[in-house]
Amino acid sequence: MDVRFPAEIAPGVFILPDKRIPLVPNVGIVVGRDSVLVVDCGLGPQNGENVIKLARQLAPGRSIILTVTHAHPEHGFGAQAFKPDARIYYNAAQRDYFARSGTTLLDGFRAVLSTERRALLDGVVLTPPDQTYDGDRATLDLGGRQVEFHTWGTAHSPGDQIVHLPDEQIVFIGDLIEERMFPIVPFFPPMINASDINVARWESVLRDVLALQPRLIVPGHGNLGGPEIATDLLGYFTEARAVFRTTGVPSAELDQRLRAKYPTWEHSEYISPARQYLAQLPG
């Protein structure tokens, strides 16, 4: 993760862009008068160390809070680097998912990563939050800056949350959106099971985010954008359902139809898991 060039997208609000590199998330740093909030911290302890070092440089003397948009490894498995100096804070549903599935996710990622990328997971210590919130919403005051947390339960994963800056009209949305990429409907048994995904609720979340009238949306991966990147994803889910309902056509051809519909989108390997997930739903 390259921490040399953080981009300031609003006064005191920074992102470390992923530069469209696989398994590198967009990381947010939100500076208040008293505290600084880090949104996601990357894959493995070295990336976590780089992110907290940058947070200290951008907000010297402030207390540090880490939140994680969801429990998948490239977003939060660098959290150990934030101990003992920082407080880790997110919702109770994500904490519970991390507690029951963290080891499975770690082993699953180790099994599929290249040797070079697998090294990023060396020395990972699964690090739970220090504090959680119950219910679907919480607010933190960083000192002159209010931050809202919203969660809906299971969508892309159990306990997905967004981070909303109401005054700046900015939303950090995690992997509920990957801009100009086929969405990761993470159906990879036994690492991730059907009960850990809910596409119908995912669509509801996107509509709720649009109701917040964000000016900027920071996706989990890809370029930041406006409301159109949420609208585009809603359109994809509608199109995917229509295509996958077609009978008598080989699966590979159905996948190709979606690739043709979205010729500029990356990571078409995620079409097939989406098809398999939707196929096992009733009706």
Side-chain angles (χ1 to χ4, degrees):
M1 181 181 295
D2 189 346
V3 297
R4 294 173 297 172
F5 306 109
E8 191 168 17
I9 60 175
V13 182
F14 301 86
I15 64 165
L16 291 173
D18 70 336
K19 298 185 178 181
R20 305 191 82 85
I21 299 171
L23 294 178
V24 174
N26 290 313
V27 169
I29 299 176
V30 183
V31 179
R33 183 182 60 249
D34 304 318
S35 303
V36 55
L37 175 70
V38 177
V39 183
D40 289 342
C41 59
L43 182 69
Q46 185 57 62
N47 282 318
E49 289 281 0
N50 292 340
V51 170
I52 194 171
K53 180 179 179 181
L54 178 62
R56 292 187 181 118
Q57 292 171 354
L58 293 173
R62 276 80 154 186
S63 62
I64 299 173
I65 303 166
L66 169 67
T67 197
V68 180
T69 56
H70 62 295
H72 291 164
E74 80 272 27
H75 292 265
F77 277 30
Q80 70 198 71
F82 285 72
K83 303 299 294 178
D85 297 335
R87 175 165 61 110
I88 304 174
Y89 177 79
Y90 48 80
N91 65 78
Q94 185 186 157
R95 175 203 60 201
D96 294 345
Y97 174 52
F98 179 77
R100 69 177 181 267
S101 299
T103 298
T104 301
L105 290 167
L106 179 60
D107 292 343
F109 264 57
R110 281 181 171 141
V112 300
L113 292 180
S114 66
T115 301
E116 179 182 6
R117 287 181 175 161
R118 194 180 307 133
L120 293 171
L121 293 172
D122 289 350
V124 163
V125 175
L126 296 177
T127 305
D130 300 293
Q131 184 180 0
T132 60
Y133 62 91
D134 294 314
D136 60 5
R137 182 172 174 176
T139 302
L140 286 181
D141 184 352
L142 303 181
R145 170 165 271 153
Q146 294 289 320
V147 179
E148 297 176 354
F149 302 80
H150 299 255
T151 186
W152 291 260
T154 297
H156 167 76
S157 69
D160 290 306
Q161 68 173 12
I162 68 164
V163 177
H164 179 218
L165 308 182
D167 292 340
E168 295 81 4
Q169 296 177 280
I170 295 172
V171 170
F172 292 89
I173 202 166
D175 282 2
L176 291 162
I177 297 178
E178 287 114 12
E179 184 269 337
R180 219 165 6 98
M181 302 179 192
F182 289 96
I184 304 173
V185 179
F187 188 48
F188 307 112
M191 183 168 59
I192 300 172
N193 298 308
S195 61
D196 294 332
I197 318 160
N198 188 321
V199 168
R201 185 173 293 135
W202 190 341
E203 293 169 291
S204 179
V205 171
L206 293 172
R207 288 189 287 268
D208 287 349
V209 168
L210 287 170
L212 295 173
Q213 298 183 310
R215 178 179 60 87
L216 289 175
I217 297 175
V218 180
H221 303 272
N223 299 335
L224 74 167
E228 72 282 351
I229 65 174
T231 302
D232 289 346
L233 183 51
L234 282 168
Y236 169 81
F237 283 134
T238 298
E239 185 73 25
R241 280 194 180 89
V243 168
F244 295 149
R245 276 197 293 265
T246 305
T247 59
V249 178
S251 297
E253 184 176 331
L254 296 178
D255 293 358
Q256 179 55 38
R257 288 183 186 181
L258 276 180
R259 280 193 291 270
K261 184 73 176 180
Y262 298 90
T264 65
W265 285 22
E266 302 169 0
H267 298 299
S268 60
E269 67 270 21
Y270 292 121
I271 296 174
S272 177
R275 171 173 43 75
Q276 294 173 55
Y277 165 76
L278 291 170
Q280 55 81 47
L281 296 178

